[in-house]
Amino acid sequence: MSATQREIAPRASNRLTARLLTLGSMLSFVAFAVAFLADLADGAAVHTRGALTLDALTRMDPEAWSLVGVLVLFATPVAGLLATVAEYRSTERRMSAVAVGVLALLAVSVTIALLR
Amino acid sequence: MLLLSVLAGGFGAIVGIGGGLVIVPVLTVLVGVPVKSAIAASLVGVIATSTAASARYLSTEVADRRLGLVLLLGTVSGGIVGGFVAGLLDARTLSGLFALMLVLVALQMLRGREPDAPSPVPAADATPETTTLDHAFASSYREPTTGEIVPYRVRRVPLGTGISLFAGSVSGLLGVGGGIVNVPTMNVVMGIPLRVATTTSTYMLAATAVASALLYQARGELDPLVAAPVALGMFMGARGGARLAARLHVAWLRYLFVGVSAFFAWQMVQRVLGG
């Protein structure tokens, strides 16, 4: 085994993280597409801001569906990091801890947002 | 807005500066979206494009996820700072800062400097400046064009993480991806091959943008009806732009970007001066 091969750290599987990122992207794009089509169908209808309710979704409110897409997009990298924690747990605990650190920082952002 | 976002995403991908730098002035100057909403929408667009691209880069194992995680500690922290500070600044100040960044990026393009692609450091050639931490990030990637396994060593990890803090702040403050700082940092400062630097930066962008976008959302500055078409359009444009880039004279497009940047920078400065 060469010095290069000895030095290179073993790789954890990326599969779960990659799949979660792909799934999250696709779900958000579906929500955005629904919002776009609903907006085209609605024409110049005025929508109230901020209400994400089941009723708004079933009424095909473009804003509600747009918000769903945005929230799914926010959640997707977080899910990816959680998958990364799991993937590194058995091979490199330090990397798993770093991923937990990044998640903690995102939790700080959520906390600041909620406190407003 | 969807069409403009497709064009912005495509143009940004072709000239290599990302869609955020183009979409914010387009939304602000051409559509009349308030600058903070434009920045928030751009961040959502960055999340969309980088999430989708990251999945591909991780699958092909070109992005260095280990290094990206460490640098994320810097960029996410910076994203929180940038997103927070954006709430303290008024729209005119943000417009002025964005105009300044447009000018700086345009000047960089005019100078025509590409980040250098340093030769990968053979693992056997340990130099005094490499530390134990640097050795810990030694890795390799498969070059897609040749299939060759290319080993590389990483230098100056703490410095790179510190600069990433700045990159995250810029991203959170102005709604750009942060890649314009991350990629040269990884390539030139840390000695990482350019392909790994760009893909790893892409991997980092999503979480960085989430950290600041949450703060814009909390302040009510994120309009979903603006963010949705921007995200969809930037994603579609970036994919198309990446495919077109191989067939176009990128040099001419860069001159076009300089001209467009000058126009938008001037428009944004006028808003600053006019109130």
Side-chain angles (χ1 to χ4, degrees), chain B residues 223-249:
Chain B
D223 185 343
L225 288 175
V226 175
V230 166
L232 207 51
M234 277 177 65
F235 171 74
M236 287 160 48
R239 284 181 74 97
R243 291 198 178 105
L244 273 176
R247 304 180 196 181
L248 297 175
H249 271 289

Side-chain angles (χ1 to χ4, degrees), chain B residues 177-198:
Chain B
I180 51 177
V181 176
N182 280 332
V183 173
T185 298
M186 282 190 270
N187 183 239
V188 178
V189 175
M190 300 177 75
I192 295 166
L194 187 58
R195 189 179 294 280
V196 176
T198 51

Side-chain angles (χ1 to χ4, degrees), chain A residues 3-4 7-9 11-14 17-18 21-22 25 29 32-33 36 47 49 62-63 66-67 70 73-74 76-77 81 84 87-88 92 95 98-99 101-102 105-106 108-110 112-113 116, chain B residues 2 44 47-48 51-52 54-55 58-59 61 65-66 69-70 72-73 76-77 80 123 135 137-140 151 153 203 206-207 210-211 213-215 218-219 222-225 227-228 231-232 235:
Chain A
T4 304
E7 259 198 318
I8 293 168
R11 270 209 180 94
S13 168
N14 289 335
T17 302
L21 293 179
T22 302
S25 304
F29 294 150
F32 289 147
F36 180 67
H47 306 286
R49 289 289 306 272
E63 187 163 355
S66 298
L67 194 51
V70 168
L73 268 185
F74 284 177
T76 301
L81 284 166
T84 298
E87 283 171 336
Y88 274 119
E92 273 191 273
M95 283 297 120
V98 171
V102 177
L105 286 170
L106 286 172
V108 168
S109 178
V110 171
I112 295 172
R116 287 200 67 87
Chain B
L2 178 66
V44 174
I47 298 169
T51 299
S54 296
L58 288 176
S59 297
E61 295 191 349
R65 185 168 59 158
R66 296 172 74 247
L69 281 171
V70 172
L72 266 175
L73 293 173
V76 170
S77 301
I80 294 171
H135 281 277
F137 289 95
S139 188
S140 67
R153 179 106 34 97
Y203 167 70
V210 167
L214 282 168
L215 301 181
R219 292 192 296 261
L222 198 161
D223 185 343
L225 288 175
L232 207 51
F235 171 74

Side-chain angles (χ1 to χ4, degrees), chain B residues 37-256:
Chain B
S37 293
I39 289 171
S42 174
L43 287 169
V44 174
V46 166
I47 298 169
T49 51
S50 62
T51 299
S54 296
R56 192 169 64 249
Y57 295 147
L58 288 176
S59 297
T60 55
E61 295 191 349
V62 180
D64 189 332
R65 185 168 59 158
R66 296 172 74 247
L67 180 66
L69 281 171
V70 172
L71 295 178
L72 266 175
L73 293 173
T75 57
V76 170
S77 301
I80 294 171
V81 169
F84 185 79
V85 169
L88 302 175
L89 300 176
D90 60 20
R92 287 172 65 184
T93 306
L94 279 176
S95 294
L97 287 172
F98 201 96
L100 177 64
M101 190 180 60
L102 277 174
V103 169
L104 290 174
V105 174
L107 284 174
Q108 187 70 13
M109 286 230 170
L110 270 179
R111 286 166 66 190
R113 281 208 20 213
E114 293 282 353
D116 297 324
S119 307
V121 177
D125 295 336
T127 59
E129 68 175 281
T130 57
T131 65
T132 306
L133 187 60
D134 297 339
H135 281 277
F137 289 95
S139 188
S140 67
Y141 75 102
R142 184 182 297 278
E143 171 55 48
T145 54
T146 62
E148 182 190 354
I149 301 289
V150 179
Y152 61 90
R153 179 106 34 97
V154 181
R155 301 192 305 262
R156 304 188 196 111
V157 172
L159 176 60
T161 307
I163 299 174
S164 295
L165 182 71
F166 173 69
S169 301
V170 169
S171 171
L173 189 62
L174 300 176
V176 297
I180 51 177
V181 176
N182 280 332
V183 173
T185 298
M186 282 190 270
N187 183 239
V188 178
V189 175
M190 300 177 75
I192 295 166
L194 187 58
R195 189 179 294 280
V196 176
T198 51
T199 53
T200 305
S201 172
T202 301
Y203 167 70
M204 293 159 56
L205 294 182
T208 305
V210 167
S212 42
L214 282 168
L215 301 181
Y216 283 88
Q217 164 69 6
R219 292 192 296 261
E221 291 161 350
L222 198 161
D223 185 343
L225 288 175
V226 175
V230 166
L232 207 51
M234 277 177 65
F235 171 74
M236 287 160 48
R239 284 181 74 97
R243 291 198 178 105
L244 273 176
R247 304 180 196 181
L248 297 175
H249 271 289
V250 180
W252 286 108
L253 287 168
R254 290 189 173 186
Y255 287 124
L256 177 61

